[in-house]
């Protein structure tokens, strides 16, 4: 009865407006408890923990202790349900100029401890506190490996030479597109392409590629999406699997495209890890403020098995209800095109644009793909 009354109270239009002041009521039906680890989370929390949580009084007592401890550190909230993530105001950076709720706050399911992290790059404040006294109750900034300050000069980067420009032209990537995305090369006689990763205009990482398709990245750098500058002010985002595919989509006239920095996983993981352990997809968390604005995300990853696994991993984290999936067309009787660049080279920019713009809702497109594999 307590749970039913709490649910009825939360579903009342007046209470709903308080809990979700910036979202339409129709959008609330898109989320389930299994998506609590997604990048999207509520900005408000239930007013009374006792009404919506039927755990023992011991757990409620633990939550109250945690609340007292984090309030000393400046983390203020009405109440928080264990096992879920919430976006709160960071007491250190105040969310920057936009005053965004950049602090991801979480109390573990059994109420033993709370942890948090600010996802603003120039802040990064994180820590945890325990309900019971421990030898180390570290509410101060946790020790994360610091990122390096990079410049084109320190990395030995120079503008692309004629040979590499010709290499891209063969793949229908223009010199204008290369220049706009700051594609460079290592100095000297090495034909090594340098894809520069930038955030807020600053060089934060660099990925290298040889003509023989050998890849490596700079160590101790911030992991972000490639082409981040093109999704700052858009609510529709296209995500591809490689830098060359991002450049290809741009040649098709679609600039609102980014690439993942690390390729695709071999298979889909059994379950989603917590954000602290989600190292393979750290770039999503680091770009959360850009991704949260999107109402439509088109997944144009490779058509092979790893590409399909990447699409599934991205959709699970971003929210399948706002994801669309590109299905690459047949190349011949026995095979399909693999990625955006192959379509660009074989079918042209208009065909590539048309394929992306006709992406299907994620669930439907995955069902169609399964039928192809039978």
């Amino acid at each position: 009865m307590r749970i039913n009354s709490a649910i009825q109270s939360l579903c009342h239009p007046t209470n709903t407006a308080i809990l979700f002041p910036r979202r339409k009521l129709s959008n609330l039906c898109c989320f389930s408890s299994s998506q609590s680890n997604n990048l999207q989370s509520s900005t408000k929390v239930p007013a009374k923990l006792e009404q919506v949580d039927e755990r023992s009084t011991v757990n409620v007592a633990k939550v109250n202790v945690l609340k007292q401890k984090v309030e000393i550190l400046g983390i203020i909230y009405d109440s928080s349900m264990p096992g879920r993530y919430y976006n709160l105001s960071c007491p250190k950076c105040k969310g920057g100029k936009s005053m965004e709720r950049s602090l991801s706050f979480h109390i573990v399911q059994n109420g033993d401890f709370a942890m948090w992290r600010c996802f603003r790059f120039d802040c990064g404040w994180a820590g945890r506190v325990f309900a019971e006294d421990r030898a180390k109750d570290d509410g101060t900034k946790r020790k994360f490996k610091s990122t390096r300050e990079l410049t084109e000069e320190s990395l030995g980067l120079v503008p692309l030479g004629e040979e590499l420009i010709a290499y891209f032209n063969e793949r229908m990537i223009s010199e204008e597109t290369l220049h706009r995305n700051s594609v460079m090369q290592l100095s000297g006689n090495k034909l090594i392409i340098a894809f520069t990763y930038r955030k807020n205009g600053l060089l934060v990482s660099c990925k290298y590629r040889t003509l023989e398709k050998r890849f490596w990245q700079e160590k101790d750098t911030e992991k972000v999406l490639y082409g981040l500058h093109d999704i700052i002010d858009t609510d529709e985002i296209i995500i591809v699997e490689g830098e060359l595919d991002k450049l290809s989509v741009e040649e098709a006239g679609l600039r609102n495209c980014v690439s993942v920095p690390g390729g695709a996983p071999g298979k889909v993981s059994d379950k989603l890890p917590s954000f602290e352990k989600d190292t393979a997809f750290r770039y999503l968390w680091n770009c959360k403020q850009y991704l949260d604005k999107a109402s439509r995300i088109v997944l144009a990853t490779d058509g092979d098995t790893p590409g399909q696994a990447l699409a599934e991993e991205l959709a699970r984290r971003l929210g399948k209800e706002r994801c669309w999936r590109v299905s690459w067309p047949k190349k011949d009787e026995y095979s399909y095109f693999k990625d955006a660049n192959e379509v660009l080279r074989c079918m042209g920019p208009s065909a590539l644009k048309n394929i992306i713009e006709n992406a299907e809702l994620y669930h439907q497109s995955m069902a169609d793909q399964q039928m192809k594999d039978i």
Side-chain angles (χ1 to χ4, degrees):
M1 293 295 293
R2 294 170 60 193
I3 294 178
N4 290 335
S5 62
I7 293 175
Q8 292 173 359
S9 175
L10 290 174
C11 292
H12 191 278
T14 303
N15 293 337
T16 304
I18 296 173
L19 289 172
F20 301 94
R22 290 189 177 89
R23 294 177 182 252
K24 294 180 180 179
L25 182 59
S26 60
N27 291 340
L28 301 181
C29 299
C30 297
F31 300 92
S32 64
S33 59
S34 64
Q35 294 171 316
S36 61
N37 281 332
N38 285 356
L39 297 182
Q40 299 182 87
S41 55
S42 303
T43 57
K44 293 287 185 180
V45 294
K48 293 184 179 181
L49 178 63
E50 293 80 5
Q51 289 184 334
V52 296
D53 188 40
E54 205 174 38
R55 296 181 180 86
S56 66
T57 55
V58 175
N59 280 5
V60 174
K62 287 182 179 180
V63 171
N64 289 335
V65 170
L66 292 173
K67 182 178 181 181
Q68 294 174 7
K69 289 190 174 185
V70 298
E71 283 183 348
I72 295 175
L73 300 170
I75 300 176
I76 307 299
Y77 62 93
D78 295 332
S79 60
S80 181
M81 186 185 301
R84 299 185 64 181
Y85 289 83
Y86 296 93
N87 289 347
L88 304 175
S89 176
C90 176
K92 298 297 182 181
C93 68
K94 310 298 182 185
K97 293 182 179 179
S98 62
M99 295 189 296
E100 61 182 320
R101 292 175 175 265
S102 57
L103 192 76
S104 180
F105 181 80
H106 175 63
I107 296 178
V108 295
Q109 193 75 39
N110 59 13
D112 282 347
F113 66 90
M115 59 185 180
W116 62 89
R117 183 183 180 189
C118 178
F119 285 100
R120 294 188 69 249
F121 176 63
D122 55 358
C123 179
W125 183 57
R128 71 174 66 190
V129 294
F130 295 92
E132 299 177 0
D133 291 334
R134 300 285 185 94
K136 185 178 182 181
D137 197 22
D138 53 346
T140 58
K141 186 170 182 177
R142 297 184 66 190
K143 294 182 179 179
F144 289 94
K145 184 178 288 186
S146 60
T147 56
R148 299 156 49 201
E149 292 187 7
L150 304 178
T151 64
E152 295 174 2
E153 292 76 14
S154 67
L155 297 180
L157 304 184
V158 295
L160 287 173
E162 293 183 1
E163 193 168 351
L164 285 180
I165 291 175
Y167 169 84
F168 280 105
N169 285 341
E170 290 176 358
R171 285 147 184 81
M172 295 188 68
I173 307 298
S174 66
E175 190 171 353
E176 178 185 355
T177 297
L178 295 170
H179 177 74
R180 182 178 176 276
N181 289 274
S182 301
V183 181
M184 307 183 76
Q185 71 178 82
L186 280 177
S187 60
N189 296 322
K190 307 170 184 177
L191 294 177
I192 299 177
I193 303 165
F195 294 106
T196 57
Y197 281 67
R198 300 173 189 269
K199 185 177 182 181
N200 298 325
L202 299 176
L203 181 63
V204 296
S205 186
C206 190
K207 183 176 177 180
Y208 304 99
R209 169 182 172 151
T210 67
L211 300 187
E212 298 77 28
K213 295 188 68 172
R214 186 169 66 90
F215 300 90
W216 70 95
Q217 300 185 40
E218 289 289 334
K219 295 181 179 180
D220 301 335
T221 59
E222 183 183 14
K223 295 297 182 285
V224 297
L225 293 161
Y226 178 70
L228 201 54
H229 56 281
D230 281 330
I231 63 168
I232 294 176
D233 297 314
T234 180
D235 64 353
E236 181 173 324
I237 296 172
I238 304 164
I239 301 180
V240 294
E241 193 172 320
E243 296 83 3
L244 193 59
D245 291 322
K246 185 270 187 284
L247 303 178
S248 299
V249 172
E250 185 167 322
E251 290 292 346
L254 303 171
R255 287 188 174 179
N256 56 323
C257 179
V258 290
S259 169
V260 302
K267 62 178 182 178
V268 178
S269 59
D270 294 333
K271 63 179 181 178
L272 290 179
S274 64
F275 77 87
E276 286 193 325
K277 296 181 179 179
D278 200 14
T279 55
F281 292 87
R282 181 64 60 201
Y283 55 85
L284 291 181
W285 296 99
N286 291 340
C287 299
K288 183 176 184 294
Q289 66 189 94
Y290 303 94
L291 298 168
D292 277 353
K293 299 175 183 178
S295 59
R296 186 173 189 263
I297 300 176
V298 178
L299 304 177
T301 55
D302 289 4
D304 56 14
T305 300
Q308 293 177 36
L310 175 61
E312 175 66 14
E313 294 286 7
L314 292 173
R316 291 164 70 187
R317 289 164 173 81
L318 296 168
K320 293 183 179 181
E321 69 284 345
R322 60 172 179 158
C323 286
W324 275 252
R325 178 79 163 102
V326 168
S327 296
W328 302 116
K330 292 193 72 170
K331 182 175 7 179
D332 51 43
E333 185 179 355
Y334 304 101
S335 62
Y336 290 82
F337 286 102
K338 179 177 179 290
D339 55 30
N341 185 247
E342 188 175 20
V343 171
L344 177 67
R345 288 187 287 114
C346 298
M347 300 182 67
S350 296
L352 176 57
K353 182 178 182 180
N354 184 62
I355 291 168
I356 293 175
E357 289 181 340
N358 285 279
E360 298 177 333
L361 281 170
Y362 185 77
H363 290 292
Q364 181 61 45
S365 64
M366 292 306 292
D368 291 344
Q369 184 63 47
Q370 290 173 359
M371 291 298 295
K372 290 178 182 178
D373 295 337
I374 295 176

